[in-house]
Amino acid sequence: MARATARHLLVSDEETCLDLKKQIQDGADFGELAKQHSSCPSGQRGGELGQFGPGQMVPEFDTVVFNEAVGEVHGPVKTQFGYHLLIIDSRED
C-alpha cells in the first residue's frame, strides 16, 4: 500500500495562499510560515502531517500527494476547509 509523508499550510482565502507560495518560492521557510499563518493545528508543528496512506486525508490531498512531484510546493489546493499549500516529503508506492 502506498504511504506518504507531507506538510501543509491552511488559510481561508486563495489570495493569501498564493502570497505565501510566492514567499516560499522566494526562500521563506515553509515550516515557519505554517506556524505563523496556518489555521490547522498542524501549523504549530510546521505543518507536519506525519505518514498516511490513500483515503486517510481528504480526496483533494490524495490527488496531489499520491500523483505529484515530491519536494515541491503544490497548491493552492481547495478543500472544504480552505486553501492549502502542500509539500510531499516522501512517498513509497
Side-chain angles (χ1 to χ4, degrees):
M1 176 195 235
R3 305 290 294 166
T5 58
R7 293 174 283 158
H8 87 124
L9 183 158
L10 172 64
V11 294
S12 60
D13 64 277
E14 188 173 19
E15 183 178 344
T16 301
C17 198
L18 288 167
D19 178 59
L20 293 171
K21 184 174 185 176
K22 182 172 182 349
Q23 289 181 48
I24 294 163
Q25 290 169 334
D26 290 344
D29 182 80
F30 186 96
E32 287 303 312
L33 289 179
K35 287 178 183 176
Q36 294 171 20
H37 299 281
S38 184
S39 61
C40 181
S42 69
Q44 296 311 304
R45 298 186 308 274
E48 295 283 342
L49 295 170
Q51 188 177 71
F52 54 93
Q56 290 185 270
M57 299 289 176
V58 293
E60 297 90 343
F61 265 49
D62 278 3
T63 299
V64 173
V65 170
F66 293 102
N67 294 291
E68 300 297 333
V70 173
E72 295 180 11
V73 179
H74 301 283
V77 176
K78 186 176 187 319
T79 71
Q80 66 197 48
F81 303 105
Y83 293 85
H84 307 257
L85 293 178
L86 295 164
I87 294 181
I88 307 155
D89 292 315
S90 68
R91 182 175 58 228
E92 302 168 5
D93 294 323

